[in-house]
Amino acid sequence: MSEYGSPQPTRDLCGTMLVHRKLLNESMSYRARRATIEDRALQYKQGTRMSVRTGVVTLPVVVHVVHNPRTPEQNISDEQIHSQLAVLNRDFRAANSDVGKVPDAWKPLVADARIEFRLATRDPHGEATDGIVRVETDQRGFTWNDDVKAGVTGGADPWPSDQYLNIWVCQLGGGLLGYAQFPGGPPQTDGVVVLNTAFGTTGTATPPFDGGRTATHEIGHWLDLYHIWGDDDGACSSDDKVADTPNQAGPNTGRPTFPRLTCDNGPHGDMFVNYMDYTDDVSMYMFTRGQATRMDACLEGSRASFLVGQELSVGSAAVPAQFRPELNGEVAQLLHDTERLTTELLNEIRSALDLVTGPRDG
């Protein structure tokens, strides 16, 4: 069977690390940005830098439904899209009905990430929108090479990735359920891709991935979370850079029973109920406090534009007074640093041009 004719995946397969390693190999600037992002995350993890965010951030989302007219079911319904947003808003607030299934050993670690999602109400031109873009394609399917993210390759062009969380829903081949781009990557490919039959809880959503947890998992990556086992091929030598998630040998699939022990991680074993594992949707229930802290570092660092955007959109009256001055200080420093670096780069370009053409008047 061809790659794009692959059947519904029988396990959760995520392509995020394939994208990450490709960018690390090809881009020095990506490696540098990732080093800066990891340094900030480490400061939050060690407590040398604390989150200044006290409220809930709401992220504007645009869903690009890329569908082939020859397969009408790829053009998923608005209802299916809204069902996915509902799952995200429960999962990231620890308000999911199945959170009570978390084993007692880990219940104290369950975290409300204080992140919510809403479909965009304004497009990049300021026009009213429902946050859903439907694009026909002649492609039979896509893979993790980002073709779905551009119109010229049969996909849909992104909206500005510093203002919107772009989610592409499409037919994926190779057994992929989805993939994301970590913060620090190219803005034109920034966002999340999810298989159309693993998106939401209704319509074409197909068991065992019909609980909306693929998008929860992939947005976790977009907010700088790694797979819980550290992607070290069972060596037990690496982890997800989060202190309160036990190290484990590799991904768990299906519906494990507690405890499942690997990497000498007894007595409680693998945290297979974590959204960043590979289990069936009905077996994923939680983010940890450490993962929430890492997401804070991301939102107040590499994705701080979303906090700025929320402040501008909701108005100061809707933001707690304690939150405003501290966040403004962080944002002011971020904007100052960005302006300084841009000025330095422009000066370097001008100097280089002067060497070639000679000094210019004015």
Side-chain angles (χ1 to χ4, degrees):
M1 183 173 289
S2 69
E3 176 184 14
Y4 296 135
S6 299
Q8 171 73 17
T10 57
R11 54 164 291 190
D12 189 351
L13 184 58
C14 166
T16 297
M17 291 304 293
L18 298 172
V19 175
H20 176 55
R21 289 165 180 155
K22 180 176 183 288
L23 288 171
L24 287 175
N25 288 333
E26 294 179 351
S27 173
M28 291 182 61
S29 61
Y30 179 71
R31 292 199 297 271
R33 287 191 293 270
R34 287 303 305 168
T36 300
I37 291 166
E38 287 298 343
D39 181 66
R40 186 184 186 96
L42 181 60
Q43 293 176 43
Y44 278 63
K45 177 181 177 180
Q46 295 176 336
T48 58
R49 190 167 191 164
M50 306 296 291
S51 174
V52 300
R53 187 166 65 94
T54 60
V56 176
V57 60
T58 301
L59 303 180
V61 175
V62 53
V63 176
H64 307 271
V65 181
V66 182
H67 60 98
N68 190 315
R70 292 175 293 180
T71 312
E73 58 268 25
Q74 292 182 9
N75 191 14
I76 64 172
S77 68
D78 287 5
E79 180 186 9
Q80 187 167 343
I81 294 170
H82 286 287
S83 76
Q84 180 63 75
L85 270 290
V87 171
L88 295 175
N89 285 327
R90 292 191 295 265
D91 288 353
F92 280 83
R93 296 302 312 277
N96 46 303
S97 60
D98 50 7
V99 71
K101 297 179 182 179
V102 172
D104 290 342
W106 297 321
K107 278 187 167 71
L109 301 178
V110 173
D112 173 2
R114 298 175 300 146
I115 300 170
E116 295 181 356
F117 305 83
R118 62 168 174 80
L119 291 170
T121 57
R122 294 287 173 183
D123 70 12
H125 305 289
E127 301 295 329
T129 180
D130 61 1
I132 300 171
V133 177
R134 299 182 182 276
V135 174
E136 292 187 0
T137 183
D138 60 1
Q139 300 297 310
R140 293 181 60 192
F142 297 90
T143 184
W144 58 271
N145 65 3
D146 289 335
D147 281 355
V148 74
K149 299 177 182 178
V152 296
T153 49
D157 293 331
W159 290 8
S161 57
D162 61 341
Q163 301 172 41
Y164 303 92
L165 165 54
N166 286 274
I167 300 178
W168 288 268
V169 181
C170 63
Q171 178 64 43
L172 284 171
L176 283 175
L177 289 184
Y179 70 95
Q181 182 173 288
F182 284 119
Q188 67 271 20
T189 53
D190 191 23
V192 167
V193 181
V194 180
L195 174 69
N196 46 36
T197 57
F199 194 76
T201 62
T202 187
T204 66
T206 305
F209 308 115
D210 57 345
R213 264 57 193 270
T214 297
T216 300
H217 177 104
E218 299 304 342
I219 292 172
H221 286 312
W222 184 81
L223 290 167
D224 206 30
L225 298 185
Y226 287 100
H227 290 136
I228 194 171
W229 65 92
D231 291 279
D232 61 358
D233 297 324
C236 297
S237 59
S238 184
D239 61 18
D240 62 351
K241 306 182 188 300
V242 175
D244 60 3
T245 56
N247 194 15
Q248 66 185 54
N252 289 289
T253 59
R255 305 180 185 187
T257 57
F258 177 84
R260 171 173 163 74
L261 307 182
T262 64
C263 293
D264 296 320
N265 59 9
H268 307 310
D270 296 0
M271 190 182 281
F272 56 81
V273 297
N274 196 282
Y275 294 127
M276 302 312 294
D277 207 336
Y278 267 11
T279 54
D280 292 351
D281 283 13
V282 295
S283 294
M284 294 181 168
Y285 316 129
M286 67 177 291
F287 290 117
T288 69
R289 294 179 184 273
Q291 287 173 317
T293 296
R294 189 172 172 89
M295 287 189 272
D296 281 340
C298 174
L299 280 170
E300 295 175 7
S302 52
R303 299 207 184 280
S305 59
F306 287 91
L307 298 183
V308 178
Q310 174 155 304
E311 271 216 320
L312 294 175
S313 64
V314 303
S316 59
V319 181
Q322 181 184 1
F323 176 56
R324 288 199 303 272
E326 292 181 316
L327 178 58
N328 284 338
E330 283 278 310
V331 170
Q333 185 62 48
L334 178 68
L335 295 176
H336 172 76
D337 290 345
T338 301
E339 182 179 8
R340 174 178 57 79
L341 292 172
T342 301
T343 300
E344 291 176 358
L345 179 60
L346 289 173
N347 287 337
E348 290 177 3
I349 293 172
R350 291 190 184 102
S351 296
L353 288 172
D354 288 345
L355 289 174
V356 176
T357 64
R360 291 166 293 168
D361 293 333

